[in-house]
Amino acid sequence: MAITKEEEQQNQFNGHKDLPRKSLLQSDALYQYILETSVHPREHASLKELREMTEKHPGNMMATPPDEGQLLRMLIKLINAKNTMEIGVYTGYSLLSTALALPEDGKILALDMNREYYDLGLPIIEKAGVAHKIDFREGPALPLLDKLLRDENNKGTFDFIFVDADKDNYLKYHKRVIELVKVGGLIGYDNTLWNGSVAAPPDAPLKDYIKHYRDYVLELNKYLALDSRIEICQLSVGDGITLCRRIM
Ligand code: SAH
Ligand code: CA
């Protein structure tokens, strides 16, 4: 069946209306190929269980896709991260990925304003034997970050910080996490390509929530590109992740 120009534009920038897309790749077949060849065979049994449990949850489109989880595990091991933070946990796919990649004495400070989602994933995280690495704190992230910053001893102590919460606060998170990550450490901002909408024409027919947050994502991307305290690398994995290495 032929699709209208509007539908075509929406598909291009926003994925298929009826399918929760987990990739910005133009070809779903290519994405399936990546998952089947390189990702699923390497996915820890507990991650698979958490992913499949989350697939049945109404907020599933928020979950980190497994290829991105694989990237996080690789990054954490490459930089020998020990002390990490995650802002935006949901049911815990990226959290469990991080916990599995960290050494036995590794730590994750996990912030989310909704503990209910975390509680769904927690039994699986416990079964995986990594719950002892996680310090979960419930509440809006900004005041929690401000509290951390009031103690000078926390500054420059994190090896890795993954930011995956409310996009309208990302710039505010950046002002804070840049002080908490160590020089040479890494921050990952998730969803920085925002369903491809960052490159959509201003009048493109976007879903409301995509349209609502797009300007914040555009503003963040511009800011990060000019911030001399970091080196950056924008990857198109998942919904786009911008890696920022603190250099000063
Ligand atoms: N990293 C997760 C996905 C996170 S989804 C995964 O791998 O599945 C975004 C999460 O951010 C939600 O769980 C939501 O509760 C949380 N969130 C939204 N606004 C927040 C805020 N202001 N402070 C803390 N958490 C917030
Ligand atoms: Ca995300």
Side-chain angles (χ1 to χ4, degrees):
M1 197 174 72
I3 60 170
T4 65
K5 188 154 179 282
E6 190 169 282
E7 277 170 334
E8 188 184 290
Q9 228 179 0
Q10 184 160 38
N11 283 346
Q12 186 180 351
F13 293 113
N14 206 9
H16 190 286
K17 289 198 295 298
D18 306 321
L19 284 173
R21 289 202 63 184
K22 287 284 188 185
S23 168
L24 294 168
L25 288 179
Q26 300 246 337
S27 154
D28 286 334
L30 182 55
Y31 185 50
Q32 282 312 314
Y33 171 81
I34 294 170
L35 291 181
E36 283 163 24
T37 310
S38 310
V39 179
H40 288 160
R42 292 283 185 149
E43 193 181 33
H44 189 284
S46 299
L47 281 170
K48 180 172 192 277
E49 192 183 345
L50 185 65
R51 175 168 59 79
E52 288 174 349
M53 182 273 289
T54 305
E55 271 162 16
K56 295 175 204 126
H57 189 262
N60 172 53
M61 38 92 57
M62 294 195 290
T64 297
D67 48 328
E68 185 176 4
Q70 193 174 56
L71 170 70
L72 294 176
R73 294 195 295 285
M74 178 69 86
L75 288 172
I76 284 158
K77 291 186 180 183
L78 282 174
I79 65 169
N80 279 315
K82 237 181 168 179
N83 191 31
T84 71
M85 187 192 313
E86 174 167 302
I87 305 176
V89 170
Y90 183 42
T91 60
Y93 193 88
S94 53
L95 184 68
L96 179 54
S97 285
T98 304
L100 288 167
L102 286 173
E104 257 313 288
D105 59 346
K107 293 260 164 291
I108 314 166
L109 180 60
L111 312 181
D112 200 297
M113 58 188 224
N114 189 333
R115 199 191 157 100
E116 255 172 67
Y117 299 150
Y118 174 60
D119 282 339
L120 295 173
L122 187 55
I124 300 172
I125 294 173
E126 280 168 348
K127 209 166 69 183
V130 292
H132 63 282
K133 301 179 189 174
I134 298 168
D135 174 4
F136 180 89
R137 302 202 195 156
E138 185 179 26
L142 273 179
L144 290 167
L145 291 172
D146 284 335
K147 194 171 160 215
L148 282 176
L149 281 166
R150 282 198 289 275
D151 182 350
E152 287 292 322
N153 293 326
N154 289 321
K155 291 189 179 170
T157 58
F158 288 86
D159 303 305
F160 178 69
I161 301 178
F162 183 56
V163 182
D164 191 15
D166 42 344
K167 316 305 162 202
D168 42 339
N169 273 322
Y170 269 31
L171 262 184
K172 291 181 181 154
Y173 293 145
H174 183 62
K175 297 213 163 89
R176 290 156 176 85
V177 299
I178 191 74
E179 287 197 57
L180 292 164
V181 76
K182 62 176 60 157
V183 174
L186 199 64
I187 309 167
Y189 289 104
D190 200 32
N191 303 92
T192 51
L193 295 178
W194 202 231
N195 275 247
S197 69
V198 290
D203 59 345
L206 304 171
K207 287 179 192 155
D208 285 346
Y209 83 96
I210 295 287
K211 193 179 273 177
H212 176 75
Y213 290 107
R214 176 170 63 163
D215 288 348
Y216 294 102
V217 178
L218 289 169
E219 198 189 352
L220 174 83
N221 289 341
K222 262 195 225 160
Y223 190 95
L224 295 179
L226 294 174
D227 189 340
S228 56
R229 298 169 295 180
I230 50 174
E231 288 174 346
I232 66 168
C233 177
Q234 164 84 71
L235 296 174
S236 52
V237 174
D239 190 28
I241 174 168
T242 304
L243 302 178
C244 308
R245 180 172 172 272
R246 184 176 174 192
I247 52 174
M248 57 189 269

